[in-house]
Amino acid sequence: MGAVDAVRGRLLWFEADPYLAGEEEAVRYVEDGLLVLKDGLVEKVGEASSLLPELAEGARIVDHRPHLVLPGLIDPHLHLPQTQVIASYAGHLLEWLQKYTFVEEQKYADPEIAAAASRFFLDELLRCGTTTAAVYCSVHAASVEALFAEAASRNIRLVAGKVMMDRGAPAPLLDTAETGYAQSKALIEKWHGRGRLSYAITPRFAVTSSEAQLEAAGALAAEHPEMHIQTHLSENDLEIATVARDFPWSEDYTAVYERYGLVRRKALFGHCIHLSARERRALGEAGAAAISCPTSNLFLGSGLFDLAAMRKTHPPVAVGLATDIGGGTSYSMLATASELYKVLALQDQRLTPFEAFHMMTLGNAEALGLDDRIGAFRPGLEADLVVLDAGATPAMAQRMETVETLFQELFVLMMLGDDRAVKATYVMGERTGTR
Ligand code: GUN
Ligand code: ZN
């Protein structure tokens, strides 16, 4: 659709976490704002009245008023090969994995299936206003090739990796400590740092990796100290008992990953529901991130993410919010935030809409260590944007008639909104899709 020179709208972004810094410090809102874009980056941000006169004659300006314009949403945990696993009727995690997920993921040995799924997957993320994601592919290198190629053709910022898994699943889904290492290394050499793509070392979880494989993952991590690591941690009781059985020398689940050098900055731990205080401290001290996946945790009956405990830890654990497709049940980060709100309400905790929108943007960018590139509106950051309409459905429009504040409007968006509230998505200053 071509790049635009400026986007006008009700601009909203965050400079800090409103929970820590207070709303006054953290929230930036410009009622009639203008983002001036250049070469896919934000060049200027401010009042339309002061920036419009500076624009060159004939500049292409898109006016999204009265809608909100935010930095593109970020999803730091989801699975490419689970687009046809979502909404599979099952019991708990391990049963769901064996019965559906480990069957479906075998198809991703086929590059054409992986390519078709990648097209759908990125279309759907953009339709939901998600412009950056951290993605688990299948065990097959072909699935990473397909996703990176598709993301590159759209210039999307993406973090992804092939899952390393050498036991506890059907044979066609298994690599070995050696092949998992070698295939990951080859993918890193080919793709890592190419355009907006970066690789994540991805041992699936301790249940499906032998000690030799975790050691190989740790070796890769040591060779690439700045690279993302992603895995699952402490999601389900039976999973935790299995890890305790398989790693009898380890004092807890987190210590297994610590032993292999996998707990550090830019390490993303999905779920983190049943952690002890020691484990939270280990994550906090390492600067690793706990990624909450509320729709998944409710769907699989895994448990409730304890945000207050993460915040109380010294130093606090960085927290991200993610869909976890296909254990998760919605591609929409708005719908995901709504479920986190309810998960916290069940524990007598609260999540303000400012905190929730911070999480979906700057908070997730910080959890990924990408806040020097995305997540806010600052000159030099990449111009990934989402345009949101809090009156997108009849129920939302009806409720909006009585809304008086930005706080209330954002709460309507997160509690009632989903893909229907997304009016436009921009990647590096270019509008995507056709709506
Ligand atoms: N733990 C290991 N693999 C998975 C997965 O694919 N989904 C979820 N929710 N948990 C996991
Ligand atoms: Zn997951």
Side-chain angles (χ1 to χ4, degrees):
M1 284 184 153
V4 302
D5 299 311
V7 172
R8 188 171 181 177
R10 296 168 57 224
L11 305 184
L12 174 70
W13 75 100
F14 297 87
E15 289 294 347
D17 181 347
Y19 172 78
L20 294 173
E23 286 167 15
E24 193 71 14
E25 275 290 301
V27 182
R28 293 288 179 277
Y29 175 61
V30 188
E31 177 87 35
D32 183 5
L34 196 74
L35 277 167
V36 182
L37 311 179
K38 189 160 185 230
D39 301 329
L41 306 180
V42 174
E43 188 182 35
K44 292 175 189 167
V45 53
E47 298 284 349
S49 58
S50 54
L51 291 177
L52 279 171
E54 296 179 12
L55 287 182
E57 187 95 1
R60 290 155 301 174
I61 306 168
V62 182
D63 190 349
H64 285 295
R65 288 174 302 164
H67 301 320
L68 288 163
V69 180
L70 287 86
L73 308 181
I74 300 168
D75 185 347
H77 182 127
L78 74 169
H79 298 256
L80 168 70
Q82 296 181 13
T83 58
Q84 294 183 327
V85 175
I86 186 172
S88 292
Y89 189 88
H92 61 73
L93 170 70
L94 300 184
E95 179 191 332
W96 173 85
L97 283 172
Q98 294 292 344
K99 203 163 155 186
Y100 303 106
T101 311
F102 290 165
V103 177
E104 174 69 12
E105 292 195 6
Q106 294 181 40
K107 295 183 189 160
Y108 285 71
D110 180 342
E112 281 181 26
I113 287 178
S118 297
R119 286 193 293 276
F120 167 80
F121 188 79
L122 294 178
D123 280 346
E124 187 62 8
L125 292 183
L126 294 173
R127 230 172 52 73
C128 290
T130 299
T131 51
T132 285
V135 184
Y136 290 65
C137 297
S138 70
V139 73
H140 317 96
S143 68
V144 185
E145 296 276 354
L147 183 64
F148 273 151
E150 191 59 33
S153 79
R154 303 167 188 232
N155 207 14
I156 290 174
R157 182 165 284 287
L158 193 86
V159 178
K162 95 168 205 91
V163 290
M164 304 166 80
M165 47 195 293
D166 67 349
R167 61 175 182 152
L173 270 196
L174 299 182
D175 53 14
T176 67
E178 292 76 23
T179 62
Y181 174 89
Q183 289 168 2
S184 302
K185 202 172 172 65
L187 287 165
I188 290 166
E189 276 160 19
K190 178 163 177 192
W191 293 102
H192 183 65
R194 197 161 140 184
R196 304 182 81 199
L197 309 177
S198 42
Y199 195 82
I201 300 158
T202 311
R204 183 176 202 126
F205 67 157
V207 174
T208 50
S209 283
S210 65
E211 294 189 16
Q213 180 158 75
L214 291 173
E215 200 167 315
L220 271 179
E223 288 163 31
H224 300 280
E226 285 303 312
M227 191 168 285
H228 288 102
I229 299 165
Q230 54 183 357
T231 189
H232 297 85
L233 172 62
S234 203
E235 174 177 3
N236 163 285
D237 288 336
L238 206 56
E239 170 207 15
I240 295 164
T242 306
V243 172
R245 184 199 66 199
D246 291 352
F247 301 88
W249 47 263
S250 189
E251 69 175 302
D252 52 42
Y253 194 162
T254 303
V256 173
Y257 295 137
E258 286 179 279
R259 160 78 182 76
Y260 298 104
L262 298 169
V263 181
R264 68 176 192 192
R265 230 177 53 77
K266 284 179 123 174
L268 313 170
F269 292 96
H271 307 291
C272 295
I273 295 175
H274 307 286
L275 297 180
S276 67
R278 190 213 75 79
E279 292 177 286
R280 285 191 294 270
R281 242 183 353 262
L283 297 185
E285 280 165 9
I291 310 295
S292 172
C293 307
T295 73
S296 171
N297 300 157
L298 294 172
F299 176 70
L300 292 171
S302 302
L304 306 177
F305 184 84
D306 188 347
L307 178 62
M310 301 297 174
R311 286 171 164 172
K312 273 201 304 255
T313 301
H314 293 291
V317 183
V319 170
L321 173 65
T323 65
D324 190 30
I325 295 297
T329 52
S330 174
Y331 287 84
S332 165
M333 287 300 297
L334 299 175
T336 302
S338 157
E339 296 309 288
L340 180 60
Y341 178 87
K342 296 170 201 167
V343 159
L344 295 174
L346 278 170
Q347 301 170 92
D348 211 16
Q349 299 177 30
R350 289 288 170 271
L351 183 73
T352 73
F354 288 124
E355 289 166 14
F357 278 86
H358 165 264
M359 260 189 195
M360 291 181 249
T361 56
L362 183 63
N364 277 344
E366 286 176 350
L368 288 174
L370 289 173
D371 49 307
D372 58 340
R373 302 294 177 97
I374 54 171
F377 292 151
R378 225 174 297 136
L381 294 192
E382 295 163 357
D384 293 344
L385 327 172
V386 61
V387 180
L388 297 177
D389 175 7
T393 69
M396 293 170 86
Q398 169 74 1
R399 176 66 179 88
M400 279 299 289
E401 284 184 15
T402 59
V403 159
E404 292 172 347
T405 65
L406 179 63
F407 182 101
Q408 293 168 348
E409 179 181 359
L410 293 175
F411 197 56
V412 168
L413 262 174
M414 70 183 254
M415 297 313 295
L416 303 179
D418 51 31
D419 54 315
R420 294 168 295 178
V422 176
K423 290 295 145 195
T425 305
Y426 290 78
V427 170
M428 292 287 272
E430 289 202 31
R431 192 162 175 173
T432 65
T434 52
R435 57 168 89 210

